[in-house]
Amino acid sequence: MGFDSELIGGSPFQLPSDYRIGSSYILFVGATWLTVISTLMTNLLVLISVSKPRWLLSVNQGETSIGLIEMCILTSPVNSNNQKCFISHQFRLVWSISFGLALVAFALLSVTVVLLVTSQYTQAPIAQYGRLAGFIAMIFLCLSSILFPMGFDSELIGGSPFQLPSDYRIGSSYILFVGATWLTVISTLMKPLSFLQRLSEGLEYSSLLDQAASANTSIERFHCITAFIVSNLSTHLERTSKPFNPLLGETFELRKENDSPFHFIAEQVSHHPPVSALYARGSNWVLTANIEPIVKFHGTTVVATCEGRWVLHIKRISRSSSQSSFYSCSGENSEQDEQTDNKDNGYDEYTWQSPTAVVHNILFGYLWCEFQGEINLQHIQTNQRAILTIQSHSWFATQATRETEMFKFIGYIYDGDDKLAAFHGNYGHCYYAIDDLKDVDSITKSCCSIGGNNCIHFNSNPSLVPPCNLVLTPSSRLIWFRCFPSMTDEELAARSQYYYFTPFTMSLNEPILPLSTLPPTDCRYRSDVRFLEQSDLDAASSEKHRLEQQQRAEAKNREGDYQPLWFKQNDNKEYIYTHKYEQRNFERCPNLFFQESSLS
């Protein structure tokens, strides 16, 4: 209705010809209605599959069909409608349980639709409860799908668990039910980003690296770099849904021209194991990494570790030449320039590894994420290092106590075994340097009073979450805090409706114009991501399946090992950037997605 603003010059619900709908509005509207539409489709599929006894069919022209609680026998071979249906006493108990789970899931999905639709017309924060109901329904559908094949050893069938005899086959009802299960999985766990775009989110606070480059002391530089690492962790806590897996050879380029410009390039360089290589260049720094995610399921939790290391090079800037430039963001530097710079020893090198991420309550309860362990930031040229320790919470603590302890960290900067400085904070929100080591164990009543946007703790109302619950020391000094100044209070309260994306994240799917400046491997060409962003779940699922089938066929026909386009392996088996992307010769790039016209 605000399209009649003086800034725009349109009319309510009507944009003028020189404006178009942006990705932020598409995400805001699409995320909720995506769940509503997919939930309605899932409910319909569940209802059809449960109501029809065609979960198993006999091979003999379907004369016997079996459902969860009912079976039918064909009484006339001439007319397939002449069937006698009845409830058998020989069904396995697991089928009755599967039937009950399906009915409960149907009820929860109905509740999800009602709550999500209502949330669009009321100020009450009820959308989160609708999504929680949908997630629990997904768990019940998954359990029901798994329990049914366990009953194949029924006396009626004569098979074994998960193994049908030769005279029976899977029927259409079970196929529909499994399809309904996957619809809930996709709508609940997927978000419209590629994993390569997800990696670029770590540069949202790249200004911290610029501050590190111009720092007066090595201690201040350590504070800035460590705060940058903490800011990267903060982007994961609310985002428990998974991004799209990148195809082999897929790329993503991001260029930001603001107060802290940088140029980001990433490529999926290996599929088995999955490895993503990235290269980011700022005014006075270069950041590289090889990311190999490893995900393991442990009962009710998922544990994700990232093999590979992050490497940061920062130009050594003398106070007399503090405005000098390390690398131009225009891409005019060459590989030879970088090698010359390295030989002259004109840089500082820092390296670290990502901590372990744990997603809790996979099977039931409210989904939430935390990090565990330590981060060791090492300065290669000296014995200096920073060790950040994430504080563990007690499993026997009350929820109030757990929320107080959650996301806290403390750390020290060392030179050998000597402590030079300390720091503490909340990795979902803020980082403070402690200038006086004697203050580390001090107990004060002073709490941080900065604004910003803390990550949501458990099932709290986002508008009621305190901005920071960190107790400060007398010499605590703020280095970084999480803040979205461009978002209104209403937009902040509604972030759960569009995947908890930040304004920075929303811009990642915006196409670069003209499109000819991008290689055909850039993930902005992925139609499955675009369809999901626009709430077309059927098209997104179909396109995702097509791309996966295409990748399998290409791997089968490939001769020899895959060679990345823009990265190459060194003697340490790490993928390093070749600097050839900036030549923008994309003629040899494969056409991975075949959907160039979809972005125009």
Side-chain angles (χ1 to χ4, degrees):
M1 294 178 63
F3 290 165
D4 58 351
S5 167
E6 295 180 2
L7 290 172
I8 301 176
S11 58
F13 301 101
Q14 183 67 44
L15 278 176
S17 59
D18 54 340
Y19 278 87
R20 65 181 177 86
I21 296 295
S23 62
S24 299
Y25 182 73
I26 293 174
L27 281 169
F28 185 81
V29 175
T32 298
W33 286 107
L34 165 67
T35 308
V36 171
I37 294 172
S38 62
T39 303
L40 286 172
M41 294 175 57
T42 301
N43 242 7
L44 180 61
L45 292 177
V46 171
L47 184 62
I48 293 175
S49 59
V50 172
S51 62
K52 291 184 176 295
R54 298 183 62 83
W55 287 59
L56 293 177
L57 298 175
S58 64
V59 177
N60 300 324
Q61 298 181 353
E63 63 181 26
T64 302
S65 59
I66 298 176
L68 288 175
I69 61 173
E70 187 180 39
M71 70 177 296
C72 295
I73 297 177
L74 188 66
T75 58
S76 174
V78 179
N79 188 354
S80 60
N81 292 324
N82 291 337
Q83 289 183 328
K84 181 180 179 181
C85 298
F86 56 93
I87 297 176
S88 174
H89 297 290
Q90 295 178 315
F91 282 152
R92 291 291 311 276
L93 176 62
V94 290
W95 286 1
S96 299
I97 297 175
S98 183
F99 179 74
L101 290 173
L103 291 183
V104 174
F106 179 84
L108 288 171
L109 290 172
S110 301
V111 171
T112 299
V113 172
V114 173
L115 291 177
L116 290 180
V117 172
T118 305
S119 70
Q120 299 298 297
Y121 304 99
T122 181
Q123 297 295 324
I126 59 176
Q128 56 183 328
Y129 300 109
R131 294 183 185 277
L132 179 60
F135 181 79
I136 297 174
M138 179 198 71
I139 299 301
F140 284 2
L141 290 177
C142 291
L143 291 175
S144 182
S145 299
I146 295 172
L147 286 176
F148 176 70
M150 293 175 62
F152 289 169
D153 59 350
S154 168
E155 295 180 6
L156 289 171
I157 301 172
S160 58
F162 301 100
Q163 184 66 46
L164 280 176
S166 58
D167 54 341
Y168 275 91
R169 63 183 176 86
I170 295 296
S172 58
S173 293
Y174 183 61
I175 295 174
L176 286 175
F177 192 82
V178 173
T181 303
W182 277 108
L183 275 178
T184 61
V185 171
I186 292 175
S187 63
T188 303
L189 299 182
M190 295 298 290
K191 58 189 171 190
L193 283 181
S194 169
F195 182 71
L196 300 182
Q197 293 171 302
R198 188 74 181 87
L199 291 176
S200 70
E201 284 189 86
L203 292 171
E204 181 168 0
Y205 295 97
S206 63
S207 59
L208 288 167
L209 297 181
D210 295 316
Q211 295 175 34
S214 58
N216 294 318
T217 64
S218 61
I219 292 178
E220 191 66 19
R221 173 168 284 189
F222 264 106
H223 281 313
C224 293
I225 298 174
T226 311
F228 170 77
I229 298 172
V230 170
S231 73
N232 196 344
L233 301 183
S234 71
T235 65
H236 294 269
L237 298 181
E238 296 164 313
R239 309 272 295 286
T240 52
S241 55
K242 69 181 292 293
F244 281 74
N245 294 328
L247 302 182
L248 185 63
E250 183 175 326
T251 62
F252 179 66
E253 176 186 6
L254 179 64
R255 188 188 296 272
K256 289 295 183 182
E257 302 290 348
N258 48 27
D259 294 337
S260 300
F262 66 83
H263 189 195
F264 174 93
I265 298 165
E267 179 182 0
Q268 188 70 9
V269 295
S270 175
H271 189 61
H272 294 293
V275 179
S276 303
L278 66 88
Y279 174 89
R281 181 178 63 247
S283 298
N284 290 287
W285 53 266
V286 166
L287 179 66
T288 61
N290 285 195
I291 305 299
E292 181 184 341
I294 299 176
V295 179
K296 296 181 180 180
F297 180 71
H298 296 282
T300 61
T301 63
V302 168
V303 178
T305 58
C306 283
E307 300 293 332
R309 64 186 185 126
W310 296 78
V311 180
L312 173 67
H313 291 92
I314 296 186
K315 182 71 174 182
R316 287 182 184 154
I317 304 176
S318 64
R319 303 283 69 80
S320 60
S321 59
S322 60
Q323 300 303 316
S324 63
S325 176
F326 182 17
Y327 289 115
S328 169
C329 286
S330 64
E332 295 175 356
N333 60 287
S334 64
E335 184 176 7
Q336 182 178 0
D337 295 333
E338 182 181 359
Q339 291 174 349
T340 301
D341 222 0
N342 292 351
K343 289 178 180 178
D344 291 339
N345 210 20
Y347 68 96
D348 283 321
E349 181 177 341
Y350 297 82
T351 182
W352 69 92
Q353 288 184 302
S354 300
T356 298
V358 181
V359 181
H360 296 270
N361 297 339
I362 293 297
L363 295 181
F364 55 85
Y366 186 77
L367 212 62
W368 63 281
C369 173
E370 69 167 339
F371 287 94
Q372 296 178 351
E374 290 185 346
I375 300 175
N376 187 346
L377 173 62
Q378 182 72 49
H379 184 208
I380 300 301
Q381 285 83 0
T382 68
N383 289 327
Q384 293 184 349
R385 67 191 188 279
I387 297 181
L388 182 152
T389 303
I390 298 172
Q391 296 179 347
S392 300
H393 62 274
S394 171
W395 291 105
F396 301 100
T398 64
Q399 178 166 321
T401 303
R402 189 177 299 176
E403 288 191 11
T404 301
E405 298 175 346
M406 192 61 60
F407 308 149
K408 299 295 178 58
F409 67 86
I410 189 169
Y412 296 92
I413 299 173
Y414 295 87
D415 187 353
D417 295 330
D418 298 328
K419 293 180 180 179
L420 302 179
F423 53 83
H424 66 150
N426 176 320
Y427 64 82
H429 185 54
C430 57
Y431 177 102
Y432 281 84
I434 300 178
D435 291 330
D436 189 347
L437 281 173
K438 298 178 181 179
D439 289 345
V440 172
D441 297 324
S442 299
I443 300 177
T444 71
K445 296 181 180 179
S446 173
C447 292
C448 58
S449 58
I450 57 173
N453 309 107
N454 205 354
C455 289
I456 295 176
H457 295 188
F458 301 101
N459 201 15
S460 301
N461 182 340
S463 62
L464 300 179
V465 172
C468 183
N469 56 2
L470 184 69
V471 178
L472 304 181
T473 71
S475 62
S476 292
R477 176 170 53 90
L478 180 65
I479 302 293
W480 166 83
F481 73 101
R482 193 169 187 246
C483 185
F484 312 136
S486 62
M487 300 184 72
T488 64
D489 292 341
E490 291 78 10
E491 291 171 336
L492 289 170
R495 288 183 62 236
S496 62
Q497 299 182 28
Y498 48 100
Y499 309 99
Y500 292 104
F501 281 6
T502 68
F504 179 90
T505 307
M506 292 177 188
S507 68
L508 299 180
N509 269 340
E510 289 286 357
I512 295 178
L513 298 176
L515 290 177
S516 58
T517 61
L518 288 176
T521 54
D522 195 280
C523 55
R524 293 178 183 85
Y525 288 110
R526 289 193 63 152
S527 294
D528 52 350
V529 175
R530 189 68 63 182
F531 286 140
L532 181 60
E533 187 180 45
Q534 297 173 351
S535 304
D536 193 340
L537 187 64
D538 281 343
S541 179
S542 176
E543 178 64 10
K544 183 175 183 292
H545 176 72
R546 184 189 72 82
L547 291 174
E548 290 171 346
Q549 291 292 99
Q550 173 185 302
Q551 187 173 46
R552 294 188 188 99
E554 291 175 351
K556 185 177 180 180
N557 297 328
R558 184 180 301 118
E559 297 180 359
D561 296 333
Y562 173 79
Q563 297 299 322
L565 293 169
W566 315 115
F567 292 81
K568 64 180 181 181
Q569 273 190 314
N570 60 13
D571 295 337
N572 296 325
K573 301 300 181 181
E574 292 181 326
Y575 291 91
I576 58 174
Y577 182 54
T578 63
H579 292 269
K580 294 181 180 179
Y581 185 97
E582 284 130 341
Q583 299 174 9
R584 314 203 80 81
N585 182 7
F586 302 139
E587 293 181 358
R588 66 189 183 100
C589 295
N591 196 341
L592 288 181
F593 311 119
F594 309 103
Q595 298 290 342
E596 293 92 333
S597 60
S598 65
L599 295 182
S600 59

